[in-house]
């Protein structure tokens, strides 16, 4: 029986470093190739030695599929392809292909140019890696992170009732059920407004794409409506490029933005200006969006260190923070942080968490499972304890097996392949003409010819199949020999067979032909002499496949012998 084998190399009972190895149908596919924000050592990247310790990775791996451009899903890609050594195909969507190298280069600059890390991929490696990418359309790819609620720049995630053997889903917010999006937006705007009104500064750490554009649109429309004068800044460079790509791929955004695009591009902000490092020391209120989103490095961490000591100021964390990052520490309640060089930073500014995350909450994950109706579910990209809670909930509500393997642990699932087959209208009409209505409780046997066309199957009538394939009809008949003890002549034996079958098969057309042979429907019976035994006759019974059931019955009947003729 065929099976599916799934092994997380990253994101197994952990958030970040998403990398799932799937073996199915003799093919090995890697889903995502991400990095971990909380580590700066070997644990930053997935353990690729699991694939093979000897030989080229390309010999053991058929392809890599990148779901989207967030670094926890693509950050290890140049390391994997250029340093570990993989030169097979890498699939991703067109926007991911455009944005991925920008984020990778920014990540490299922080790690190498600012932190001075060695054994890291270079700018040239990023370029060489991207040469291996094959761009595909949206519905040809898998989905990594998803949200079942639409936002201001993207629509909600959705999935057909495809009933897969296995649904692999992220579970970052496995135990969280968010309040309504409108309430969160109102709360966010209220806190920003109050802080600015009392002369404080608001830091919003974001990743360059996704929540950044979502919150920019929210603040832009609010500033316009309330006529606020406090400046809003966005850290320069990376996000300007990101916004450029949002404008370029406007057709991938939600319906509202596409509709208003002709009058005004929502990504051209009137109130939001480019940020300069010197602005951080300016007096008075301001709002700054700065990257990266977990306060683990870069400009957001630099601004945080400057503003943390003032209780008028506020930092709003709009997304999930992995363990080990400054963002995770302050959300856990830590107010004294040990920074580089053993310096202790006292946090007096207000710390708020408001989830505008790209990840689905528990309700959204359950909604996705309900829509897809999978045979089994496998959880990745989540914390172990929270996964355990969601696992039990899925198993109880949907009565399916749910798995949550750790990194390096393999889950093996046996599968029963089902192949969808279309049925021609002509064949269905012919079956319906027999007056037998289809019923789910009583399966019907359909006779037809199976044709494979453009990788799909269709069941059609034999006449239609011959016409479509340009073939001439050849009739195939099955023949069976039945030995009878009868010393009479062949014609008399045939006559006895005819009389016997005529009396037994009252609902069938039984004929005795002039040449001495007997027919029952398409079944032909001929009597011949035995070559060695004059007292034995050989009955040759032949039929077409349509009358196979009747042919088998007649053969069994004749093997029992003929009734004795009256003396």
């Amino acid at each position: 029986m065929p099976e599916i084998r799934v092994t997380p190399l990253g994101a197994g009972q952990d958030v970040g470093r998403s990398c799932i190895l799937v073996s199915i149908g003799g093919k090995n596919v890697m889903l995502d190739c991400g990095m971990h924000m909380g580590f700066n050592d070997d644990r930053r990247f997935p353990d690729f030695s699991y694939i093979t310790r000897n030989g080229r990775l390309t010999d053991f791996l058929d392809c890599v599929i990148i779901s989207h451009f967030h670094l926890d899903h693509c950050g290890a890609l140049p390391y994997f392809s250029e340093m570990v050594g993989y030169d097979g195909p890498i699939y991703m969507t067109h926007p991911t292909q455009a944005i991925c190298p920008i984020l990778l280069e920014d990540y490299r600059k922080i790690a190498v140019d600012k932190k001075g890390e060695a054994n890291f991929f270079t700018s040239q490696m990023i370029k060489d890696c991207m040469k291996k990418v094959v761009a595909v359309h949206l519905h040809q790819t898998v989905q990594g992170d998803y949200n079942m609620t639409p936002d201001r720049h993207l629509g909600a995630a959705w999935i057909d009732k495809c009933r897969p053997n296995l649904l692999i889903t992220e579970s970052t917010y496995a135990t969280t059920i968010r309040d309504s999006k409108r309430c969160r937006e109102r709360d966010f705007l209220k806190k920003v407004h109050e802080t600015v009104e009392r002369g404080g500064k608001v830091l919003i750490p974001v990743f360059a794409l996704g929540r950044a554009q979502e919150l920019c649109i929210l603040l832009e429309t609010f500033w316009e409506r309330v006529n606020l004068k406090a400046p809003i800044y966005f850290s320069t460079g990376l996000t300007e490029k990101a916004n450029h790509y949002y404008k370029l791929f406007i057709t991938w955004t939600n319906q509202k933005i596409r509709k208003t695009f002709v009058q005004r591009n929502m990504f051209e902000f009137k109130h939001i200006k480019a940020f300069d490092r010197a602005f951080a020391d300016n007096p008075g209120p301001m709002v700054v969006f700065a990257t990266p989103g977990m306060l683990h490095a870069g400009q957001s961490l630099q601004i945080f260190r400057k503003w943390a000591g003032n209780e008028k100021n506020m930092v709003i964390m709009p997304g999930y923070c992995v363990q080990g990052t400054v963002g995770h520490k302050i959300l856990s309640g830590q107010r004294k942080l040990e920074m580089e060089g053993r310096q202790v930073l006292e946090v007096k500014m207000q710390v708020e968490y408001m989830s505008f995350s790209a990840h689905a909450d528990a309700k959204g994950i359950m909604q996705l499972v309900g829509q897809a109706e999978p045979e089994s579910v496998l959880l990745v990209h989540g914390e172990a304890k929270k996964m355990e809670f969601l696992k039990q909930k899925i198993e109880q509500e949907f009565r399916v097996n749910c798995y949550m393997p750790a990194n390096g642990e393999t889950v093996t699932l046996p599968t029963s392949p089902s192949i969808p087959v279309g049925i021609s209208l002509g064949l269905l009409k012919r079956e319906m003409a027999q007056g037998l209505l289809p019923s789910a409780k009583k399966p019907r046997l359909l006779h037809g010819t199976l044709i494979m066309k453009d990788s799909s199957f269709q069941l059609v009538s034999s006449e239609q199949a011959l016409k479509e394939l340009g073939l001439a009809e050849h009739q195939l008949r099955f023949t069976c020999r039945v030995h009878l003890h009868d010393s009479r002549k062949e014609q008399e034996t045939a006559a006895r067979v005819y009389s016997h079958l005529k009396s037994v098969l009252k609902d069938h057309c039984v004929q005795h032909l002039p040449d001495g042979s007997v027919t029952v429907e398409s079944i032909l019976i001929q009597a011949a002499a035995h070559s060695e035994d004059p007292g034995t006759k050989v009955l040759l019974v032949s039929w077409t496949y349509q009358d196979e059931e009747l042919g088998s019955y007649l053969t069994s009947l004749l093997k029992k012998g003929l009734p004795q003729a009256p003396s």
Side-chain angles (χ1 to χ4, degrees), residues 310-476:
N310 190 334
E311 55 198 23
K312 273 188 179 182
N313 300 336
M314 178 182 284
V315 58
I316 298 177
M317 306 300 295
Y320 185 88
C321 295
V322 301
Q323 210 161 353
T325 60
V326 171
H328 185 273
K329 287 172 185 174
I330 61 171
L331 288 177
S332 303
Q334 257 184 268
R335 290 298 175 262
K336 288 191 177 179
L337 305 171
E338 190 177 309
M339 309 303 282
E340 288 172 17
R342 292 190 170 270
Q343 285 182 315
V344 175
L345 178 67
E346 190 172 354
V347 181
K348 291 182 181 177
M349 73 193 304
Q350 293 180 58
V351 178
E352 294 286 346
Y353 173 69
M354 293 182 188
S355 179
F356 288 91
S357 173
H359 302 278
D361 63 1
K363 187 180 172 185
I365 296 166
M366 296 295 282
Q367 193 181 333
L368 182 87
V369 175
Q371 281 181 9
E373 291 188 6
E375 290 175 17
S376 300
V377 176
L378 189 140
L379 303 177
V380 294
H381 208 277
E383 297 169 27
K385 283 183 181 177
K386 293 179 181 179
M387 276 182 165
E388 188 62 53
F389 171 82
L390 185 62
K391 176 181 183 292
Q392 290 175 7
K393 198 166 167 55
I394 289 170
E395 288 179 336
Q396 285 167 8
E397 188 164 327
F398 298 106
R399 306 287 183 203
V400 296
N401 289 327
C402 184
Y403 305 90
M404 43 173 284
N407 289 332
E409 184 184 339
T410 300
V411 171
T412 303
L413 297 168
T415 62
S416 303
S418 59
I419 301 169
V421 176
I423 301 176
S424 73
L425 192 61
L427 186 61
L428 276 177
K429 282 181 177 176
R430 192 168 75 183
E431 287 293 318
M432 295 297 287
Q434 295 178 17
L436 297 168
L437 292 172
S439 168
K441 293 180 181 177
K442 292 182 180 179
R444 286 267 306 279
L445 192 65
L446 278 178
H447 286 284
T449 305
L450 196 63
I451 295 178
M452 184 177 175
K453 214 174 189 182
D454 300 326
S455 301
S456 62
F457 290 94
Q458 192 173 28
L459 191 69
V460 299
S461 65
S462 53
E463 298 81 14
Q464 187 181 337
L466 291 168
K467 189 177 177 182
E468 284 192 23
L469 299 171
L471 298 173
E473 185 177 2
H474 297 272
Q475 198 174 70
L476 184 68

Side-chain angles (χ1 to χ4, degrees), residues 153-320:
H153 70 302
L154 296 174
W158 59 269
I159 190 168
D160 288 327
K161 198 179 287 294
C162 50
R163 298 184 178 92
N165 296 113
L166 177 66
L167 173 68
I168 303 174
T169 174
E170 59 119 334
S171 52
T172 315
Y173 290 103
T175 58
T176 305
I177 295 179
R178 299 191 191 101
D179 52 5
S180 81
K181 196 155 195 302
R182 188 163 289 183
C183 287
R184 269 179 284 146
E185 289 181 346
R186 192 165 56 238
D187 201 20
F188 170 77
L189 293 172
K190 184 185 174 190
K191 283 189 164 56
V192 172
H193 192 188
E194 285 174 353
T195 306
V196 167
E197 285 291 287
R198 67 170 176 260
K201 296 175 170 61
V202 181
L203 171 63
I204 306 171
V206 288
F207 289 104
L209 287 119
R211 295 321 92 194
Q213 283 68 32
E214 161 87 348
L215 296 174
C216 275
I217 293 169
L218 186 59
L219 279 186
E220 173 81 5
T221 51
F222 182 71
W223 247 241
E224 186 81 31
R225 191 170 75 244
V226 183
N227 196 26
L228 291 174
K229 301 300 179 190
I232 306 174
Y233 298 114
F234 216 129
S235 52
T236 52
L238 184 59
T239 305
E240 288 177 292
K241 286 180 183 174
N243 285 342
H244 167 74
Y245 282 110
Y246 264 101
K247 294 172 194 174
L248 184 64
F249 293 107
I250 197 82
T251 55
W252 291 62
T253 58
N254 69 23
Q255 197 171 2
K256 184 181 176 184
I257 286 183
R258 290 201 302 271
K259 276 184 177 178
T260 58
F261 180 65
V262 179
Q263 292 85 28
R264 181 193 164 208
N265 189 330
M266 291 286 277
F267 298 109
E268 287 174 353
F269 303 116
K270 188 170 112 183
H271 296 279
I272 301 170
K273 308 296 180 190
F275 181 73
D276 187 279
R277 284 166 195 263
F279 293 173
D281 298 317
N282 286 358
M286 69 176 75
V287 179
V288 176
F289 289 94
T291 58
M294 298 187 191
L295 289 177
H296 57 284
Q299 203 162 61
S300 63
L301 184 58
Q302 290 169 16
I303 298 168
F304 173 77
R305 291 172 79 157
K306 285 189 175 187
W307 293 359
N310 190 334
E311 55 198 23
K312 273 188 179 182
N313 300 336
M314 178 182 284
V315 58
I316 298 177
M317 306 300 295
Y320 185 88

